[in-house]
Amino acid sequence: MPRSSLLLIGIFACCASAQTPLGLPVRSLRFEPAQQPLPEAELRALLPVRTGDPLTAPLVRQTIADLYKTNRFDTIHVEGEVNAGQVDVIIRTTPNWFIGRVVIEGVPDPPSIGQLNNSTKLDLGALYEPGQVNQAVEGVANTLRLNGFYESRIQQYLRRDPETQTISVLFQVAPGPRARLSRPELLGNLAQSPRAIIRASRWPYALGLFAQTNWGWKGMSQSRIQNGVDRIRRTYIKKNFLMATTALEAVRYQPETRRVQPVLRIDAGAPVAVRTTGAKLSPSRLRQLTPIYQEASVDRALLLEGARGIEQYFQAAGYFDVEVGYGIDDQGGQRTIDYNIARGDRYKLVSLQLDGYRYFNQRTLLERMQTTPATWLRYRHGRYSERMLAQDRLAIEELYRTNGFLEVEVQSRVQPAPQGKPFEQAVYLTVKEGEQWLIGQVDLEGVKDERAEYLRSILQSQPGQPYSEAGVAADRDVLLNEFFNNGFPGATVDGTVEIDKAQRRVAVKFAVQEGRQQFIRKVIVEGLEATNQELVTSRLRLAEGDPVSQGNMLATQRRLYDLGIFSRVDMALQNPDGAEASKYVLYQVEEARKYSFTFGAGAQIARIGGGIRSFDSPAGGTGFSPRILLGLSRGNVFGVGHTASIQTRVSNLQNRVIGSYLAPQFRNSDKLNLIFTALYDDSRDVRTFNARRREASVQLGQRLSRATTVQYRLTYRRVAVDETTLKIEPQLIPLLSQPVRLGIASLTFIQDRRDDPLDAKRGWYNTLDSAFSSRALTSQSDFLRFLGRNSSYYKIGRDLVFARTLTFGWQYGLSENPTRDVPLPERFFTGGANSHRGFSENQAGPRDLVTGFPVGGKAVMINGLELRFPLVGDNLSGVLFHDAGNVYTNFNKISFRASQRNIADFNYMVHTVGFGVRYRTPVGPIRVDVGYSPNSPRFQGFQGTFQDLLFQRGVATRQRVNQFAFHFSLGQAF
Amino acid sequence: MILAHLLLLFTPAELIDRVAVSVGVNVITESELVEQMRIRAFLEGVPLRLDGDSKRDAADRLIQQALIRREIETTRYVTPEPAQANGLLASFKQSRFANDDAAFEAALRAAQVTAADVRASFLWQLTVLRFIEYRFRPGVQVSPEDIREYYELKFLPEWRARTADLPPQLDAATPSIEEILVQARIDNQLDRWISQTRTQVSIRYREEVLGEK
């Protein structure tokens, strides 16, 4: 190499190294690698450095800070290459990774998959930090150990998706055998025998010799250990060792035997006796009122709380002046707690007077109060305690404050009722409303003009409206939600007020900082194995480019759950902390088990008795029917969320098999569902005959609105009546026992606007079912059928509910040919707990003139009235009812006549009055109704066998449907 | 000549700046770190040291700054006006440079810092002081028992060790003892807050910049 060249290289190298890129204009700007985590446009928009601008240190620093704030980069180096007095800027980056799907395979339950997932602490969408997977393995191993898997082996596999920067983790677990529990080591002051403690733990299958073997003890699990410790704790409480402590000190694993020995440290402490002086309380009531039993601890705060509980109990019973104190006596190794009750006189709250109110009416105020004057049954002494009255005052004040009466004051006094008997008290509440404060103006700051008008419209705070702090706080939340649902997750809203005392006006100002709007880059759903991707895509309420909306994200999660095929749907925004303009939305689903098996058993005691082949008890005798239910369903058929199921019911009244195929969200619509059903049914629910049905149907359900549903149905049915079971006049048997094939097109309209379908207090409920059976549908019978019901519910005052219902049905035969008339099993049969309570199940209406068994009718009309009222406390209520109506031979036979003309006349209105009791439970009220029917039908019955009937040997008897009917059921009658 | 141009073409790019420490999604770059060290050396009048340990110390100070700044932003504490830093700058110039502008400018140039950097540093100090006052002082309680205990166990022994004069009575010493105790407790709370806040945010030191610890 010539010397001159070397010299030149030296000079250039010297110049190149001497010239710093800072201060030079930027010629170009490029990223390395070229493929970057953010879209090119977003990346460029982020950079403060522009070509042509001079490169400065603060600009470079800002560039790094802005890029890093997106949280998409792990390292960022900014380099500069000087070329001809300009600088080429190179930004070298390495990406961050975010946690995606986490799968844990190979572990038997328990622990559950949810527990294992939580133990990894790998949160969906969060930044993955190096070393986190090792912590996750340790977390899983720890959870496995807690569940007896001490010899588990865990292998983890990471899969990276550079496009979404997601890292998915698979843990393959070889759990090894589950350790069994063994005899626990019991340390400390036990105060009861180790045998009793071990029995309480339920860790061994049985005590004695069996417990000496390995197999005599149950397998270890976290919940089993915890439950065992809790049960031991409870035995101490039961034995009045209320200060006992039971702690799991250690769990020792013995690898040779694969057994686990729990080590428990117990300090029984002194037994505690709780007594009352001055008034009696049952032990169970005392336990209920004093929290020392629930908390298994004795301290001052709990003793005081117990005293307050006892006070309230006695106040509620009328001892308004009751005073309760307590004393502690430690003697002879026992602690005695004496609750000293000075009951004082027993009062009755006979009156509750309110005055001073103008803005609200008395009813509105009373609705907010718990204090209640005495009533005949429910509150015999009224409901009152000082605390209750204080809460009532606060409730009324709160009502006024939320309506702008900032200076409201409610005063109360309790004094003897004027002209009352001794010990009759009255509560007086005086409301000092003060002036109403109104909103003067509402300002929205920091909001773009085009949005401001809409935002103002959704606020509760409007000029001229009453001002309240609660209203402003609620509006703040409304605004925040609005921003959160429109891609502004970092939005903040401050609500401030300015008070004009002279005008009694309040100016409300909401200062909004929107922050940066974020959009959806892509929605990623992981965890689909058998499920069709399109099904899931159709359920998404999010689309690429939309603003990130928390509301829509939650709606999507809910819609995925609604498919009923996922046991878990986790949702997260990837990289929640990153200040990037577009975000990945992640859903991780876990498919539910495909098969589910159900088993049930039950029994029915009702007036379903009487001989199957004899003519005893045409109006039903007391009978017993055990039943077994078996079901198998297969979810997510073909991966499209459909369900196929088969259900069977076996009893001495009914044998039934139903196969169904349900396509919910038919054609991807929430409003449509399609169901195919095949049914085989052999039942004696109408006592007159056994009917065998084979049926196939298809039904399309359409939800028109939240309250309104329409069902379109096509049914093919073959009904055969077992002629040997028909208890009717022999001449009619050939006609009525003919097997019939029916093709029925029907439409059902349902409108439900009840406040609570299980126990409605307000609203209404309408159904209308219309069916058409005709030769055109290959039917062997031609008729039209309408069956409608209209129910409505009205609240009267605070506690009473008036409910009414009217059921009307009509079948119209379209053929003159009697063989094509409405077949016997298709006629209306009614009566029972949910229709006319003067009858047993399906006992209303026309009867066979020889045997007296019900034969159904072609028209039905039943009107029901109920007055529902509270009886005792909050859970027990009563009902007075009147049911009137019947099943009639035909439409033109419907009559309001109350008397039966003769024993062959069933076309009259049967009236029943009665009383019922309801006990409130979470699944609806348990119901007992007793009805008395003054005009229950009399009819001709028959004593003898079928042979007797054929050869006219039996005895005709005159019978009557029992005037008293008793019903036990679940849920209100309507 | 051509070779020279080619070599120039392949001249390795010069590193301008990079991430030194990350505090959540915020970063402290290497240049920021060095700048902070220069300003501190200038203000304290000590020579600049750029070894690994000094860099880590500087990084820790900047991390604290970042945490406090984050808290100020999220809770919207009122920050001092920039003009308020001028007083501090003036007294610094007075004490260190006897108000000699030329000497001050020369020292700035030698330390490779600017007057704006120094002013910003003073403003930050004011901001932190105000933040501490608003954030922690209201929660500090000093009881008469605490004051008496301090008076007896610390104040009196220290007084006697220092001078043979009669120590002041408890009542007379109470205001100064109360202030000492308040400041000590504020410091304590600040330390606790910082260590607690550090656990709530992911902090990563980059070894390529700070060297291995």
Side-chain angles (χ1 to χ4, degrees):
Chain A
M1 184 181 289
R3 243 182 233 182
S4 58
S5 288
L6 278 174
L7 186 63
L8 273 173
I9 291 165
I11 291 166
F12 277 108
C14 162
C15 293
S17 63
Q19 194 167 13
T20 169
L22 291 176
L24 298 177
V26 176
R27 188 175 73 167
S28 71
L29 210 143
R30 72 171 193 273
F31 281 86
E32 287 207 359
Q35 186 67 37
Q36 289 293 312
L38 291 170
E40 177 73 17
E42 191 179 334
L43 208 54
R44 297 277 162 191
L46 266 176
L47 295 179
V49 181
R50 298 270 183 274
T51 49
D53 291 349
L55 189 68
T56 62
L59 208 55
V60 172
R61 208 178 286 167
Q62 193 59 47
T63 301
I64 294 175
D66 288 350
L67 288 175
Y68 202 85
K69 270 200 162 57
T70 65
N71 208 21
R72 287 264 157 208
F73 304 96
D74 179 30
T75 61
I76 303 168
H77 289 195
V78 177
E79 297 173 2
E81 257 179 23
V82 178
N83 273 312
Q86 289 185 304
V87 61
D88 296 319
V89 176
I90 305 153
I91 302 173
R92 291 186 203 280
T93 66
T94 56
N96 267 332
W97 295 95
F98 299 92
I99 297 162
R101 192 176 177 210
V102 176
V103 179
I104 302 168
E105 286 179 354
V107 185
D109 198 350
S112 67
I113 289 293
Q115 270 177 302
L116 286 166
N117 261 313
N118 290 342
S119 69
T120 64
K121 293 189 178 159
L122 295 172
D123 298 329
L124 185 66
L127 180 68
Y128 173 79
E129 305 208 20
Q132 220 175 344
V133 77
N134 295 330
Q135 289 171 13
V137 168
E138 192 40 53
V140 172
N142 196 33
T143 304
L144 289 171
R145 274 194 295 276
L146 288 171
N147 286 279
F149 297 108
Y150 282 84
E151 296 170 24
S152 64
R153 288 194 310 280
I154 303 166
Q155 191 68 47
Q156 75 273 25
Y157 301 94
L158 303 181
R159 186 172 51 85
R160 290 171 195 259
D161 177 4
E163 195 195 326
T164 58
Q165 288 175 270
T166 304
I167 195 159
S168 302
V169 190
L170 168 68
F171 296 94
Q172 269 181 350
V173 182
R178 192 192 291 270
R180 287 185 174 275
L181 290 158
S182 65
R183 190 183 173 81
E185 188 180 341
L186 303 171
L187 307 171
N189 165 25
L190 304 184
Q192 53 178 325
S193 73
R195 193 183 164 82
I197 295 172
I198 293 169
R199 184 184 290 121
S201 73
R202 293 196 204 159
W203 290 333
Y205 285 110
L207 291 175
L209 267 181
F210 193 54
Q212 306 302 317
T213 66
N214 232 1
W215 299 102
W217 293 77
K218 295 175 185 172
M220 183 196 174
S221 73
Q222 198 175 357
S223 58
R224 186 162 282 156
I225 292 267
Q226 193 51 51
N227 292 343
V229 173
D230 287 346
R231 277 192 289 265
I232 293 170
R233 220 169 260 154
R234 284 201 292 274
T235 62
Y236 281 97
I237 295 169
K238 228 176 193 173
K239 292 179 184 347
N240 288 326
F241 288 94
L242 299 184
M243 296 185 292
T245 56
T246 306
L248 181 71
E249 201 163 83
V251 178
R252 289 194 200 122
Y253 177 59
Q254 297 148 348
E256 318 78 51
T257 55
R258 291 195 174 120
R259 295 181 74 176
V260 166
Q261 185 186 33
V263 182
L264 296 173
R265 182 165 292 280
I266 297 170
D267 179 10
V272 179
V274 185
R275 302 186 309 200
T276 57
T277 55
K280 276 187 184 171
L281 276 175
S282 69
S284 60
R285 178 71 67 191
L286 194 58
R287 274 176 184 261
Q288 191 190 335
L289 296 173
T290 50
I292 50 175
Y293 289 99
Q294 288 95 41
E295 302 291 329
S297 170
V298 178
D299 60 38
R300 195 170 165 273
L302 291 176
L303 289 170
L304 276 173
E305 201 180 323
R308 275 201 303 274
I310 295 171
E311 266 177 14
Q312 280 168 29
Y313 171 76
F314 279 103
Q315 281 178 340
Y319 298 97
F320 298 164
D321 298 334
V322 65
E323 280 180 17
V324 181
Y326 70 87
I328 300 173
D329 182 22
D330 288 319
Q331 267 184 7
Q334 174 162 329
R335 170 168 287 192
T336 307
I337 296 165
D338 280 307
Y339 278 108
N340 309 311
I341 305 168
R343 286 192 309 192
D345 292 318
R346 192 171 204 180
Y347 297 95
K348 190 172 180 180
L349 182 65
V350 292
S351 161
L352 174 60
Q353 302 285 332
L354 283 147
D355 59 35
Y357 55 88
R358 292 191 311 273
Y359 191 76
F360 293 107
N361 59 27
Q362 181 164 309
R363 187 178 161 182
T364 310
L365 300 181
L366 285 176
E367 272 173 6
R368 275 147 184 87
M369 294 186 67
Q370 296 177 69
T371 305
T372 314
T375 54
W376 176 57
L377 265 175
R378 195 179 184 190
Y379 302 114
R380 287 175 54 210
H381 293 273
R383 249 194 347 171
Y384 165 82
S385 74
E386 279 174 22
R387 197 166 154 190
M388 208 181 268
L389 187 59
Q391 284 173 350
D392 288 344
R393 282 197 306 265
L394 285 177
I396 294 173
E397 284 176 358
E398 191 52 37
L399 175 68
Y400 272 97
R401 280 203 193 95
T402 53
N403 283 277
F405 294 91
L406 305 185
E407 296 130 354
V408 65
E409 199 184 336
V410 179
Q411 293 169 340
S412 65
R413 63 183 200 281
V414 184
Q415 60 188 58
Q419 289 112 39
K421 294 175 191 164
F423 305 119
E424 285 190 342
Q425 297 277 302
V427 169
Y428 297 91
L429 283 173
T430 305
V431 181
K432 292 183 176 171
E433 290 183 343
E435 292 285 326
Q436 191 177 29
W437 291 68
L438 300 177
I439 292 173
Q441 64 180 71
V442 180
D443 287 331
L444 269 172
E445 266 184 14
V447 176
K448 290 183 185 110
D449 288 345
E450 63 266 25
R451 289 176 61 81
E453 196 179 337
Y454 166 70
L455 291 175
R456 265 177 219 283
S457 72
I458 59 172
L459 294 179
Q460 181 188 321
S461 303
Q462 297 290 345
Q465 292 295 309
Y467 161 77
S468 79
E469 278 178 28
V472 172
D475 281 339
R476 188 185 155 275
D477 291 345
V478 165
L479 286 173
L480 265 182
N481 274 338
E482 188 61 26
F483 283 103
F484 289 167
N485 288 336
N486 282 285
F488 296 97
T492 60
V493 179
D494 286 331
T496 52
V497 292
E498 220 169 88
I499 290 172
D500 179 352
K501 281 188 180 170
Q503 298 292 318
R504 295 197 172 268
R505 290 283 188 277
V506 180
V508 181
K509 187 167 81 178
F510 294 102
V512 180
Q513 290 194 325
E514 290 184 348
R516 192 170 182 172
Q517 193 171 19
Q518 291 180 339
F519 298 89
I520 294 170
R521 187 164 171 189
K522 196 175 176 185
V523 183
I524 299 167
V525 183
E526 288 201 275
L528 300 178
E529 285 172 8
T531 308
N532 190 315
Q533 175 76 47
E534 271 181 37
L535 172 70
V536 172
T537 308
S538 71
R539 307 297 294 165
L540 300 181
R541 278 279 174 266
L542 307 157
E544 212 172 302
D546 286 353
V548 172
S549 157
Q550 284 182 358
N552 285 347
M553 283 171 69
L554 284 167
T556 298
Q557 187 185 35
R558 197 179 56 243
R559 285 166 61 81
L560 290 176
Y561 268 124
D562 286 348
L563 284 171
I565 54 174
F566 300 122
S567 59
R568 226 176 73 181
V569 180
D570 288 342
M571 166 196 84
L573 210 56
Q574 192 196 56
N575 185 20
D577 299 330
E580 55 191 336
S582 57
K583 295 271 184 193
Y584 288 108
V585 180
L586 308 178
Y587 286 93
Q588 185 183 326
V589 299
E590 196 177 298
E591 291 176 351
R593 285 184 190 152
K594 289 187 182 65
Y595 288 95
S596 64
F597 178 74
T598 52
F599 172 79
Q604 184 186 5
I605 301 174
R607 296 183 75 87
I608 49 177
I612 295 172
R613 295 189 187 280
S614 78
F615 293 89
D616 300 345
S617 313
T622 305
F624 175 72
S625 168
R627 66 176 71 157
I628 290 174
L629 307 143
L630 291 170
L632 177 70
S633 40
R634 161 72 157 86
N636 203 7
V637 181
F638 308 125
V640 290
H642 295 179
T643 303
S645 67
I646 185 156
Q647 306 286 333
T648 63
R649 173 189 287 198
V650 181
S651 78
N652 55 1
L653 287 181
Q654 187 180 46
N655 294 311
R656 166 184 276 211
V657 183
I658 307 177
S660 65
Y661 185 90
L662 170 68
Q665 294 98 29
F666 182 58
R667 294 177 66 85
N668 287 332
S669 167
D670 277 345
K671 295 181 174 169
L672 295 178
N673 65 65
L674 187 69
I675 181 164
F676 295 91
T677 311
L679 163 81
Y680 171 82
D681 180 279
D682 185 353
S683 64
R684 201 166 69 92
D685 51 351
V686 178
R687 297 202 57 259
T688 316
F689 54 86
N690 271 21
R692 192 173 296 124
R693 293 162 183 232
R694 278 169 287 172
E695 181 179 300
S697 68
V698 56
Q699 175 187 299
L700 178 70
Q702 183 181 18
R703 193 158 50 82
L704 299 179
S705 70
R706 204 169 160 174
T708 311
T709 307
V710 181
Q711 293 166 347
Y712 313 90
R713 198 165 35 247
L714 192 60
T715 307
Y716 283 92
R717 183 186 303 151
R718 186 177 169 81
V719 189
V721 172
D722 182 352
E723 62 179 70
T724 61
T725 63
L726 256 175
K727 299 188 194 74
I728 55 173
E729 198 181 343
Q731 287 88 333
L732 292 174
I733 291 178
L735 178 67
L736 295 179
S737 65
Q738 284 300 315
V740 183
R741 186 182 67 240
L742 297 167
I744 303 174
S746 56
L747 185 142
T748 306
F749 176 81
I750 303 165
Q751 220 175 12
D752 187 354
R753 290 195 182 273
R754 291 172 293 182
D755 57 346
D756 176 3
L758 290 176
D759 188 5
K761 292 179 179 60
R762 280 197 182 99
W764 41 269
Y765 181 72
N766 292 327
T767 61
L768 178 64
D769 179 65
S770 54
F772 171 61
S773 170
S774 144
R775 195 187 299 272
L777 296 164
T778 72
S779 191
Q780 292 172 327
S781 179
D782 306 306
F783 62 89
L784 275 172
R785 182 176 62 210
F786 300 97
L787 181 63
R789 175 185 149 184
N790 164 255
S791 310
S792 52
Y793 309 84
Y794 310 90
K795 208 162 177 189
I796 305 170
R798 200 161 131 176
D799 295 321
L800 298 183
V801 175
F802 173 70
R804 53 149 295 280
T805 185
L806 175 69
T807 304
F808 178 79
W810 176 38
Q811 283 174 327
Y812 177 68
L814 296 171
S815 172
E816 296 294 323
N817 182 351
T819 60
R820 295 191 66 83
D821 199 8
V822 182
L824 179 64
E826 292 297 319
R827 292 180 183 173
F828 290 125
F829 287 90
T830 193
N834 292 316
S835 50
H836 193 312
R837 281 166 281 185
F839 295 99
S840 301
E841 205 66 24
N842 293 332
Q843 285 286 334
R847 292 173 175 270
D848 185 77
L849 297 177
V850 175
T851 65
F853 280 81
V855 289
K858 289 186 185 170
V860 61
M861 186 175 76
I862 294 170
N863 187 64
L865 306 173
E866 274 197 2
L867 183 67
R868 302 171 183 173
F869 51 88
L871 263 185
V872 180
D874 292 327
N875 291 330
L876 200 65
S877 58
V879 166
L880 289 172
F881 66 84
H882 172 242
D883 291 343
N886 212 339
V887 173
Y888 299 86
T889 316
N890 219 325
F891 179 70
N892 56 8
K893 300 289 182 189
I894 291 175
S895 160
F896 292 91
R897 176 167 42 85
S899 61
Q900 189 179 14
R901 283 180 181 146
N902 54 57
I903 58 168
D905 171 30
F906 299 102
N907 293 317
Y908 73 104
M909 188 166 275
V910 178
H911 291 263
T912 300
V913 290
F915 175 72
V917 176
R918 313 281 183 264
Y919 183 77
R920 198 165 74 173
T921 73
V923 289
I926 292 175
R927 166 158 68 105
V928 176
D929 285 326
V930 180
Y932 172 73
S933 176
N935 63 343
S936 70
R938 292 175 172 82
F939 57 91
Q940 178 85 46
F942 181 78
Q943 237 176 10
T945 63
F946 187 67
Q947 295 303 318
D948 294 335
L949 183 66
L950 271 181
F951 299 106
Q952 299 178 345
R953 287 195 303 242
V955 182
T957 57
R958 197 181 165 92
Q959 299 188 22
R960 184 175 190 183
V961 170
N962 199 327
Q963 285 181 282
F964 287 95
F966 174 84
H967 303 279
F968 179 81
S969 187
L970 191 68
Q972 294 284 9
F974 56 88
Chain B
M1 190 67 181
I2 293 162
L3 187 62
H5 277 288
L6 278 173
L7 277 169
L8 191 60
L9 203 64
F10 291 106
T11 304
E14 186 185 326
L15 177 68
I16 303 171
D17 206 353
R18 58 183 166 172
V19 177
V21 182
S22 58
V23 184
V25 292
N26 297 308
V27 282
I28 297 160
T29 66
E30 189 175 13
S31 71
E32 206 176 345
L33 191 75
V34 173
E35 186 183 285
Q36 209 274 343
M37 293 167 82
R38 285 185 202 287
I39 294 169
R40 190 176 170 84
F42 173 74
L43 290 175
E44 291 179 356
V46 295
L48 176 67
R49 290 177 55 205
L50 289 171
D51 57 284
D53 286 346
S54 305
K55 280 186 175 173
R56 276 192 182 261
D57 287 346
D60 281 334
R61 281 193 297 275
L62 284 169
I63 289 167
Q64 281 188 16
Q65 272 194 27
L67 297 176
I68 292 173
R69 188 165 284 133
R70 202 178 64 153
E71 180 75 2
I72 289 172
E73 280 166 9
T74 49
T75 48
R76 302 192 200 159
Y77 283 97
V78 180
T79 49
E81 289 298 316
Q84 287 178 265
N86 292 341
L88 283 178
L89 182 62
S91 62
F92 173 75
K93 271 166 75 175
Q94 168 66 34
S95 64
R96 283 279 295 280
F97 301 97
N99 266 346
D100 181 348
D101 283 345
F104 177 62
E105 292 297 332
L108 284 175
R109 272 196 302 279
Q112 296 181 41
V113 293
T114 65
D117 294 337
V118 177
R119 190 179 293 108
S121 177
F122 284 131
L123 183 62
W124 176 247
Q125 284 176 27
L126 285 173
T127 307
V128 172
L129 284 174
R130 182 176 284 197
F131 164 72
I132 291 169
E133 193 66 16
Y134 288 164
R135 176 75 168 74
F136 301 109
R137 185 148 198 148
V140 170
Q141 302 284 328
V142 176
S143 67
E145 288 73 36
D146 296 333
I147 295 171
R148 179 177 291 110
E149 191 182 322
Y150 185 90
Y151 178 76
E152 286 166 2
L153 299 178
K154 202 139 188 200
F155 185 85
L156 289 180
E158 280 178 3
W159 181 277
R160 284 172 190 142
R162 214 169 49 235
T163 169
D165 295 348
L166 271 178
Q169 291 295 307
L170 175 64
D171 284 352
T174 292
S176 55
I177 293 175
E178 189 173 5
E179 189 54 29
I180 290 168
L181 288 175
V182 165
Q183 290 306 327
R185 285 177 193 190
I186 286 176
D187 287 350
N188 199 300
Q189 284 205 13
L190 176 65
D191 288 346
R192 224 173 28 217
W193 178 80
I194 285 176
S195 47
Q196 205 175 17
T197 312
R198 282 182 74 120
T199 60
Q200 291 163 358
V201 60
S202 164
I203 296 172
R204 279 181 65 198
Y205 296 86
R206 307 299 168 123
E207 288 182 348
E208 67 269 26
V209 179
L210 302 169
E212 279 188 39
K213 196 174 183 184

